Amino acid sequence: DKILMASDSWMAYNAPTGKWSIVVNKAEATSYAFDDDNIIGDIRVSATDITSSINQVEAQFPNKDNKDQSAYINIATPSDLLYANEPVNKYSITFDLVNDNVQAEYLANRMLEQAREDLIVSFSTTYYGIQVDAGDVVSVTNSSYGWNNKLFRVMKVNEASLPNGMLGARLELSEYNAQVYDNQDITQFTPVPNSGLSSP
């Protein structure tokens, strides 16, 4: 878990192969498309509750430039991007295997940006969907929701029995925004010497 956290990845079960695999959280090209032709039944849509959506991150890590003493990164969503009456919801995390501020800030910033993409979607699809893997980015087109090739990241894929008795797949998706993965310029922090004594 600590290795996955430090490398911005997660573990997912791949139903078609019957094996667990590591999914790297990175920008992806669209691999599959879903619309009224291959979506069966209802589309369930939900959003993360505003009271549980994080808008501040405090990341603790052992700083290699200070004998692995604990250091902290604190970042917050800009106030102009907060919803009206959104409460402060700080998330604290410890990166045990990250030892410099650049990687810690990079991970914390991505975590904060992804929290703003709060749309969660699930639906059943034909057997076409069983070839989709967790981590893939797919497009969904549906006129009822006004989606035209809207992008989602697949979080979970399960085989499912469809109402007509055929075998299909049940997909759980999370809203995807490629800007979350944009690289930012982060400066390596160098602590100021705490004394005027010369080095022996």
Side-chain angles (χ1 to χ4, degrees):
D1 285 345
K2 291 179 181 180
I3 293 173
L4 292 172
M5 192 181 303
S7 57
D8 197 15
S9 305
W10 77 90
M11 192 76 76
Y13 182 72
N14 191 325
T17 63
K19 296 180 179 179
W20 289 89
S21 59
I22 294 173
V23 179
V24 179
N25 188 20
K26 60 185 175 65
E28 298 278 0
T30 309
S31 53
Y32 298 94
F34 293 93
D35 54 29
D36 292 338
D37 292 334
N38 52 23
I39 295 176
I40 297 174
D42 60 336
I43 298 175
R44 296 190 181 185
V45 179
S46 62
T48 306
D49 185 4
I50 192 173
T51 59
S52 60
S53 179
I54 64 172
N55 48 34
Q56 293 183 8
V57 175
E58 179 187 72
Q60 178 183 350
F61 65 97
N63 190 349
K64 66 181 179 183
D65 295 323
N66 193 20
K67 298 182 180 178
D68 288 336
Q69 296 298 309
S70 293
Y72 295 86
I73 296 289
N74 289 286
I75 58 174
T77 302
S79 58
D80 59 326
L81 295 179
L82 296 175
Y83 299 114
N85 301 318
E86 181 175 349
V88 172
N89 192 0
K90 183 164 84 171
Y91 179 70
S92 297
I93 187 168
T94 301
F95 296 119
D96 292 324
L97 302 181
V98 174
N99 64 358
D100 68 88
N101 76 291
V102 173
Q103 180 70 2
E105 187 170 340
Y106 176 79
L107 292 170
N109 189 63
R110 184 179 285 188
M111 189 178 297
L112 191 63
E113 287 189 24
Q114 281 185 327
R116 306 313 288 178
E117 306 298 331
D118 60 354
L119 198 61
I120 299 166
V121 173
S122 63
F123 56 78
S124 294
T125 179
T126 60
Y127 202 72
Y128 166 79
I130 204 67
Q131 59 193 329
V132 179
D133 292 327
D136 286 348
V137 173
V138 300
S139 66
V140 179
T141 299
N142 183 272
S143 57
S144 298
Y145 288 104
W147 296 339
N148 183 20
N149 292 323
K150 182 167 177 57
L151 300 182
F152 292 90
R153 184 179 290 281
V154 179
M155 304 307 290
K156 188 190 250 185
V157 181
N158 288 326
E159 286 188 354
S161 180
L162 303 177
N164 61 6
M166 301 291 286
L167 190 62
R170 182 85 183 161
L171 303 181
E172 291 183 22
L173 315 173
S174 179
E175 193 172 14
Y176 174 83
N177 184 347
Q179 292 180 348
V180 169
Y181 305 96
D182 289 346
N183 290 326
Q184 298 186 3
D185 291 332
I186 302 173
T187 305
Q188 175 69 44
F189 173 76
T190 304
V192 177
N194 59 5
S195 75
L197 299 176
S198 59
S199 172

